[in-house]
Amino acid sequence: MSPGYGWQGRIMRIDLSTGAVQTVVPDDSVLTAFLGGRGLGARFVYDAGRADALSPANPLVFAAGPLTGTRTPASGRVSLATKSPLTGTIFDSNCGGSFGPALKRAGYDAVVITGRSPEPVVLVIEDDRVDLQPAGALWGTNVKETTRLLSLRGSVACIGKAGERQVLLAAIIADKKHAFGRGGVGAVMGSKNLKAVVVNGTGSVDVCDADEFERQKQTINRLLVASPTITKGLAVFGTPFLVKITSWMKILPVANFRALDHQAFDPRPFFATMIERRYSPRRAACYSCPIACKREDGTGTELPEYETIGLMGANIQNPDYDAIVEANRLCNDYGLDTISVAGVLGCYAELRNAGIAGHELVALTAQIGEQAGIGARLGRGTKRFAASEGRPEAAMQVKGLELPAYDPRGVKGLGFSYATSNRGGCHTRAYLVAPEILRKPKAIDPYTLAGKAGHAKIFQDRFAAVDSLVVCKFAFFGAGEEEYANIVSAVTGVKFTSEDLMQIGERIWNLERLYNLREGFTDADDTLPERFFTVPANGRIVDRAEFLKTRTEYYRLRGWDDNGVPTERTLNRLGLAELERS
């Protein structure tokens, strides 16, 4: 390894209970084995042992990757790892903006936070200076006001009222509008009495071979420009361009995934072209990103992305796009995950047999953030809310995590990836949206499970590595593992091949699996809600026998036993032999 290239070689550890701050130098082998980001965070969370998610012992790990802070295309992201209070699984989330690059410029690859401060605090990192400052005056403020008050100090990642109140759907928001979403990670931050982390770094992130780095950067940029999905879709319309595609494929969820006929809801007002005409959105980009998939209106208010539109529109039978814009704004201000908020509202709508539209959507979103009225119960998540109503079958979730806006009866590989995801019902763990919906890098049949065990494993391993570099998944509509292996080699001075990245991803996936097994998860949790096996939609269903056969094949391909436990041989091959298998 070439010290000081890509990796900064320093990890900050902070115990909020005592105020102790320690800087440690990670072993080179840990960085090359897990890269950074998601992988490094997973290792720290695993090594912390078993802990209640909202206890002081549960670590909160902000981890950048070796490419973060360089000018590598689409590399301005940073990862967060912890145990989820919503699901009980190991959890990671990553976001864009400027927080990750600021952390790297301050000289750190990761910040590991444990303990619980006796009083609310803000963690301020200014290069080598680290302060815990009183935050009593900020407690009770939402994200935008907190960020406004702190942003002169640096890049701000903070919680709103939802995180303070430990709402299980709470997120952490960086730079006002970039979410560490899903899994209730904001509640973990709130449980530690940590209102915000502010980072101002004035250093640099050096690359080992500057000439080779420039060559590889140009190669990646050319591939991104050559991708129609990027240049004709994401760069023009942002993620809302997916609404038309998913409605045409009849996989846009309607009425809490119940509608048997997609003519039950008119999605046309939510098409990207209609949004363009009404709002004339402005493009917004994360650090070092040529894609610029974010959209804002003329006032700078963030506009909702595809998942939010699909789940706060068709899935709760709401025809009012303006209400979705306001609910999305409220989620970002309170610090709430929009997918999970929309998921629990879909369950609520089903239980009362009525849609949620317009002002009611906005009011319910605010109640969840305030933990007021019915919002206090909805904020516990879909699985808990449905169970409390005696209707567990109405919870569209896997391992406690609400499903995204793609009906698995029409994208069966993606549905299978929900079931086998380490963090629960999530489309980004394998991102089979790419081949099954957008036909990239090549088309695969979305209507069958045949061959999907292998596809799920490959894409899961790929994106575990991507989340550890940390790179935006959208870049992989153009570039691939080979290009990013080449550029991380140029940055770090360590030779990586595409095969190396895939094995690192596999190592991370198995480490996360071991964590969940230790927490009591079993093969019985690798499944989908019963509705998808028993209720057809648009003539499609997930065949249970085929699903179980695919799961068995998937376990075999992963080198796991019949119960989904990694074998000793697999752990030896991946360098995880010393870890527990149960």
Side-chain angles (χ1 to χ4, degrees), residues 546-567:
E546 186 181 24
F547 176 88
L548 293 173
K549 179 182 176 182
T550 303
R551 192 176 69 182
T552 297
E553 181 185 0
Y554 170 81
Y555 287 169
R556 179 182 59 79
L557 290 172
R558 281 226 166 270
W560 298 351
D561 67 19
D562 292 343
N563 297 315
V565 178
T567 64

Side-chain angles (χ1 to χ4, degrees), residues 211-292:
D211 291 340
E212 180 64 13
F213 174 78
E214 287 300 322
R215 282 192 290 271
Q216 295 301 332
K217 185 175 76 171
Q218 290 172 16
T219 297
I220 292 172
N221 277 327
R222 282 196 298 270
L223 290 169
L224 299 186
V225 169
S227 167
T229 302
I230 293 173
T231 56
K232 297 180 186 293
L234 288 167
V236 177
F237 298 110
T239 59
F241 87 99
L242 281 163
V243 176
K244 187 172 185 178
I245 297 171
T246 56
S247 61
W248 175 78
M249 291 180 67
K250 298 181 180 179
I251 58 172
L252 183 69
V254 179
N256 201 31
F257 293 87
R258 281 183 298 155
L260 307 185
D261 183 347
H262 273 66
Q263 293 179 353
F265 185 86
D266 182 5
R268 288 174 295 180
F270 303 105
F271 286 178
T273 49
M274 298 298 291
I275 296 170
E276 287 281 325
R277 291 173 193 166
R278 290 190 58 194
Y279 279 81
S280 300
R282 301 184 308 197
R283 299 174 71 203
C286 298
Y287 175 93
S288 191
C289 181
I291 300 172

